[in-house]
Amino acid sequence: MSITEIFAKQSKPLLTALGFVLVILIGGINYLTGPLFSSLVFYLVPVIFVTWFVGRSAGILISVASALMWVFVDMTAKPSYPHIIIPVWNLAEKLGIFLIVVYILLRLAEERELSRKLERERMYMLSMFAHDMKNPVVTAGGFLLRLLSGKAGPLTGKQLDYLALISNELAVLERFITDFLEFSRFESKEYKPVPLPFDTATAIKRHVEAAKMEADRKDIKLFFESPGDTAAVVNADAVQIDRVITNLLDNAIKYTGQGGAVTVRLLNRERDVLVQITDTGIGIPEDHIPNIFDAFYRVTRDSKGSGLGLAIVKIIVEANGGRIWVESIHGKGSTFSFTLPKRRKD
C-alpha cells in the first residue's frame, strides 16, 4: 500500500488539524530563529501535505493560515513597518503563491486520477473483449476435435491435415487470450500470492523431465545442476512459481537451435534461492534487453508469442518477494535468473 493510500484511509479532519499544527510549529520556529527559518519551502510543507491528502477546501484554509502566520511572524519579529500597506501586500503575495501551488497540486491529482480511470476502463474493456472471444474459440476447438476423431463421419487425408492446422492455430489463439486475461488480472492488482513452503529443487526436476520430450525432438541437451540432496525450500505461491519455471524453460528450448543445450542451475543460498536457466540459442540484442520484460514487447516481428509471457513472469516473481533479470549475448545465448526469498517480509 502506498503512502497516499495510507493517508487516504485516515480521517480528513484529523489530517487538516495536523496541517494547522504544522503551520503553528513552523511559525514558532520561524519566530525563534528569524531569517534562518523564514523560507517559502518550510511554509509550503503544510500546504502541500493537506492539499494532496485532504483536498481543495482544506488546502485553501491551510494556505490562508500559512500566509497569515508568515506575515504575523515577520511583523512581530520586525515591528518596524512604516505603513499598513506593506504587511497587507506581503500577505497577498504569500497567499497568492500558496494558492497557485494548491491549484497546481489539484490539477496534478485530477490528471493522475483521470489517467488511472482511463487505464482501468481500457483494461476492463480489453479483458471483457478477450473473455468474450475465449468462449467461441473453446467451442470451435471442441467441434474440431470431434471432426478429427471421426465422430462426424470419415474425412480424407487432406481434410484431416487442414483441420489439424486449424486446431493448432486455435490453440495458439486460446493461449494468447489466456495470457491476456491473466495479465489483466495481475495488472488490476487482483493477484495476491498464496505463500506456502515450496521445494524449488523438486519442482524444477519435475519440469525438466516434462520438457525432455520437446528437447529430444530438437536434439537439445537438457541439464539440471542442483545443490545435491539439500532441500531448497522457499515461501512462495507454488502454482504461479511453477508457471514461471515452465515459461522460462519453454522459451529456452524454443529459442535454442538443433544440437544446442539448456542448463538449469539451482543455488541454495543463505537467504534465498537462485534459479538460472541458460541456453545456447539466438540470444537477445543488447538494445532490447532493457525492455524484454515489458508487456507486449517483442524482439522480432515474426515472433508468434503474445508478448506477455515474460511480463507475467516478472509480476509473479516480484509479487513473491523476488527479482528477475537477464544476461544475453546476441547469437550465443541467454541466461534468465530469478531469486525467491526463503522468508517473506509481510
Side-chain angles (χ1 to χ4, degrees):
M1 182 179 293
S2 67
I3 189 170
T4 305
E5 292 171 332
I6 292 173
F7 277 117
K9 290 181 178 292
Q10 305 303 315
S11 170
K12 289 186 176 181
L14 180 62
L15 294 176
T16 305
L18 180 59
F20 280 109
V21 171
L22 284 173
V23 171
I24 296 170
L25 180 63
I26 291 169
I29 297 174
N30 184 188
Y31 179 81
L32 295 174
T33 61
L36 293 177
F37 201 82
S38 183
S39 170
L40 174 66
V41 174
F42 297 104
Y43 282 99
L44 277 175
V45 170
V47 175
I48 295 173
F49 171 79
V50 172
T51 303
W52 190 255
F53 294 116
V54 181
R56 176 184 288 105
S57 300
I60 293 173
L61 283 175
I62 294 296
S63 296
V64 173
S66 294
L68 287 170
M69 177 61 70
W70 197 354
V71 172
F72 175 76
V73 170
D74 281 350
M75 290 178 65
T76 54
K78 297 176 292 182
S80 57
Y81 290 111
H83 304 289
I84 193 65
I85 192 67
I86 295 178
V88 171
W89 173 255
N90 286 344
L91 176 63
E93 181 184 34
K94 291 172 173 57
L95 182 59
I97 293 172
F98 292 144
L99 292 179
I100 290 172
V101 171
V102 169
Y103 174 78
I104 293 172
L105 286 174
L106 291 173
R107 287 300 302 270
L108 289 173
E110 289 173 2
E111 290 178 7
R112 183 187 62 171
E113 184 55 34
L114 178 61
S115 176
R116 288 180 176 178
K117 181 181 178 182
L118 291 174
E119 181 63 19
R120 286 195 300 268
E121 291 177 352
R122 183 183 71 86
M123 293 301 296
Y124 176 75
M125 291 177 63
L126 290 174
S127 178
M128 290 299 296
F129 177 69
H131 189 273
D132 291 341
M133 284 180 62
K134 188 170 184 178
N135 292 331
V137 168
V138 171
T139 302
F143 280 107
L144 272 174
L145 288 176
R146 290 181 64 84
L147 288 172
L148 289 168
S149 64
K151 292 181 179 179
L155 298 171
T156 67
K158 183 174 286 188
Q159 288 172 333
L160 286 171
D161 290 341
Y162 287 165
L163 288 174
L165 287 172
I166 294 172
S167 181
N168 288 336
E169 292 303 314
L170 274 177
V172 172
L173 178 59
E174 185 177 0
R175 188 167 65 250
F176 286 175
I177 294 171
T178 300
D179 282 349
F180 184 81
L181 288 171
E182 281 291 286
F183 180 73
S184 299
R185 184 166 68 92
F186 291 145
E187 281 290 282
S188 64
K189 310 300 182 185
E190 291 180 16
Y191 170 54
K192 300 295 182 184
V194 183
L196 293 169
F198 177 70
D199 187 349
T200 51
T202 302
I204 292 173
K205 286 178 184 176
R206 186 176 70 250
H207 288 290
V208 168
E209 286 298 320
K212 276 187 176 179
M213 183 179 295
E214 179 64 18
D216 290 342
R217 190 184 69 81
K218 294 184 66 176
D219 191 26
I220 293 173
K221 294 181 176 64
L222 191 54
F223 304 101
F224 175 40
E225 299 176 0
S226 67
D229 297 331
T230 305
V233 178
V234 297
N235 200 29
D237 189 321
V239 174
Q240 295 299 342
I241 299 304
D242 275 336
R243 178 168 185 169
V244 170
I245 297 169
T246 300
N247 184 289
L248 295 178
L249 193 53
D250 288 350
N251 279 353
I253 295 173
K254 177 181 178 181
Y255 293 109
T256 298
Q258 188 172 7
V262 173
T263 302
V264 183
R265 296 183 184 87
L266 174 62
L267 281 74
N268 190 8
R269 306 193 297 190
E270 183 179 354
R271 295 186 178 181
D272 61 18
V273 298
L274 170 64
V275 180
Q276 294 181 313
I277 300 177
T278 302
D279 63 65
T280 59
I282 60 176
I284 305 167
E286 187 176 354
D287 56 327
H288 289 276
I289 290 178
N291 308 108
I292 199 67
F293 293 105
D294 293 347
F296 304 107
Y297 189 83
R298 295 180 179 181
V299 176
T300 58
R301 291 186 178 182
D302 60 348
S303 173
K304 294 184 178 180
S306 65
L308 290 173
L310 290 177
I312 292 174
V313 163
K314 184 175 186 290
I315 292 172
I316 292 172
V317 170
E318 292 181 350
N320 281 273
R323 67 185 189 95
I324 185 169
W325 67 96
V326 62
E327 299 167 283
S328 184
I329 299 176
H330 190 214
K332 293 188 177 181
S334 305
T335 296
F336 281 84
S337 307
F338 69 90
T339 62
L340 291 171
K342 292 183 176 179
R343 293 183 180 179
R344 291 190 59 205
K345 295 180 180 180
D346 296 328

